[in-house]
Amino acid sequence: SRPNLALIGATGAVGTVMRDLVSTRDDIWGEVRLVASARSAGKVLRVRGEDVVVQALTPEVFDGIDIAIFDVPEEVSAVWVPIAAERGAIAIDKSGTFRMEPDVPLVVPEVNPLDARDRPRNIISTPNCTTLSMMAAMGALHAEYVLKELVVASYQAVSGAGVAGSARLYDEVEALAGDRAIGQTAGDVRKALANRLPEESPFPAPIAFNVVPWAGSYKDGGWASEELKLRNESRKILGIPDLKVSATCVRVPVITTHSLAVHARFEREITVADAHRILEAAPTVVLMDDPANGVWPTPIDVVGTDPTYVGRIRQAVDFPNTLDLFVCGDNLRKGAALNAAEIAELVAGEL
Ligand code: 2RA
């Protein structure tokens, strides 16, 4: 019989994309159960063309469920993912709670699908959206040229902070629209927003007309949590425990789709033609690299689609083993819901 799927966090930004994916991809599921916080229970949402009533998160909600995909805050995952797993569901968790635990695989289906088989706790983690935005491309290049070092700068979209993140950018843009005096004196945007939009922002600085060199929570040494995730998760997914990684994560006024500028050093010399050959052959990567004709990926052309887009590939002038490149990936799709759906489909194939 067909496996039953539960989506936990069905009403959030990722949950919304998750429902869309389940409704549009090959339908392999029996029941699709929608679960959310008590506040959202009772809402009626569409999945696979049908109305489904959202259920509150309780232990019993996992009864009869084969696979449960969680997209909820870390503290909710910490409590409820083990409950789902104990009740017999394979839990696929999008939060950071279990990603680095040695007995929980961290899976990107086109890079390390076999890791999904070894899941002693019945839990599989899916990476942070920033890591995921580059993983399909970096995994393909690593398979042939052996990655040694990554230096990354991110340009992260506001929907990475959920529905509230997107709402904030729309609100700020609306509050500033038409004011042609704004953005010309230090602090004038802050002042205008304090007057016109007094509600608290999910971001630590204005995001309209700005870039904010901070994403995530504060960590020792002045790192932002997103920067350390990029390092630790890349090592685990690629299976390179000593991969050298350094990152700066920046929030930009884009609604959805994270971009990354990547400086990647390999074990041996790699040319632009080598990279083109590999990335053209990678099924989930789209190469958009014809700079003489203005062809490279941008977030607004990528949003709402599944692949990882790569362009601006250059062999670093002073480092022949190193490529500089620009990657874009929809942070709610491959960065979140799509990767989880692909893991679920992978695992469902074994059931
Ligand atoms: C962000 N990566 O973009 C985060 C979401 N987990 O904010």
Side-chain angles (χ1 to χ4, degrees):
S1 69
R2 292 169 153 225
N4 296 327
L5 176 71
L7 304 179
I8 325 301
T11 56
V14 174
T16 303
V17 176
M18 201 72 236
R19 282 186 281 119
D20 175 49
L21 290 175
V22 167
S23 305
T24 52
R25 292 172 70 79
D26 279 352
D27 188 8
I28 60 164
W29 305 109
E31 185 189 349
V32 176
R33 204 171 287 175
L34 302 182
V35 181
S37 63
R39 193 165 34 90
S40 298
K43 270 192 187 165
V44 178
L45 297 174
R46 300 284 287 177
V47 192
R48 302 186 295 182
E50 288 163 19
D51 285 340
V52 177
V53 180
V54 177
Q55 303 186 33
L57 187 52
T58 61
E60 294 71 36
V61 89
F62 299 105
D63 290 349
I65 291 296
D66 298 288
I67 298 177
I69 298 179
F70 284 79
D71 191 87
V72 294
E74 296 207 342
E75 61 281 9
V76 180
S77 276
V79 174
W80 288 94
V81 164
I83 293 174
E86 275 155 28
R87 292 180 87 94
I90 297 166
I92 299 172
D93 185 38
K94 182 70 192 72
S95 83
T97 315
F98 302 97
R99 283 186 196 134
M100 298 316 298
E101 303 213 355
D103 52 0
V104 173
L106 180 62
V107 176
V108 180
E110 55 275 72
V111 180
N112 61 339
L114 297 181
D115 288 0
R117 289 198 188 155
D118 185 17
R119 40 170 199 269
R121 290 166 69 182
N122 236 9
I123 303 172
I124 300 172
S125 267
T126 174
N128 192 28
C129 47
T130 317
T131 313
L132 271 170
S133 301
M134 66 171 184
M135 237 347 103
M138 299 324 295
L141 294 169
H142 168 64
E144 214 171 302
Y145 281 85
V146 185
L147 203 50
K148 301 304 269 184
E149 213 173 281
L150 286 171
V151 181
V152 179
S154 75
Y155 305 78
Q156 292 180 224
V158 292
S159 64
V163 173
S166 303
R168 180 69 195 187
L169 177 54
Y170 286 124
D171 288 346
E172 288 189 5
V173 167
E174 205 174 301
L176 302 172
D179 184 346
R180 292 188 176 225
I182 212 79
Q184 305 194 36
T185 330
D188 66 352
V189 169
R190 280 184 196 274
K191 215 177 290 163
L193 289 175
N195 289 331
R196 300 173 200 173
L197 205 61
E199 300 82 20
E200 208 178 306
S201 169
F203 305 111
I207 186 67
F209 296 5
N210 207 9
V211 295
V212 179
W214 191 264
S217 57
Y218 182 88
K219 297 289 172 195
D220 284 351
W223 293 99
S225 56
E226 290 280 307
E227 294 158 353
L228 300 181
K229 286 178 185 178
L230 203 68
R231 171 176 182 265
N232 299 333
E233 295 175 13
S234 296
R235 289 177 160 198
K236 182 165 175 175
I237 297 158
L238 294 167
I240 320 173
D242 60 351
L243 180 67
K244 293 181 180 169
V245 186
S246 203
T248 301
C249 287
V250 180
R251 191 77 66 185
V252 296
V254 166
I255 294 294
T256 295
T257 292
H258 287 354
S259 306
L260 303 172
V262 182
H263 180 84
R265 184 169 69 82
F266 296 87
E267 196 171 65
R268 55 202 172 92
E269 177 161 355
I270 178 165
T271 65
V272 172
D274 296 327
H276 280 187
R277 174 180 51 79
I278 291 169
L279 295 173
E280 254 161 6
T284 61
V285 174
V286 173
L287 186 66
M288 280 187 81
D289 196 21
D290 182 10
N293 291 303
V295 176
W296 12 253
T298 77
I300 55 162
D301 301 313
V302 162
V303 57
T305 68
D306 290 346
T308 298
Y309 295 75
V310 188
R312 299 296 330 277
I313 302 174
R314 290 146 290 154
Q315 188 178 20
V317 178
D318 297 314
F319 314 95
N321 294 9
T322 300
L323 295 178
D324 281 292
L325 48 89
F326 192 73
V327 190
C328 291
D330 183 316
N331 53 299
L332 302 179
R333 292 178 83 90
K334 186 59 191 174
L338 176 62
N339 200 64
E342 289 168 341
I343 296 173
E345 290 163 3
L346 185 71
V347 171
E350 302 168 13
L351 295 177

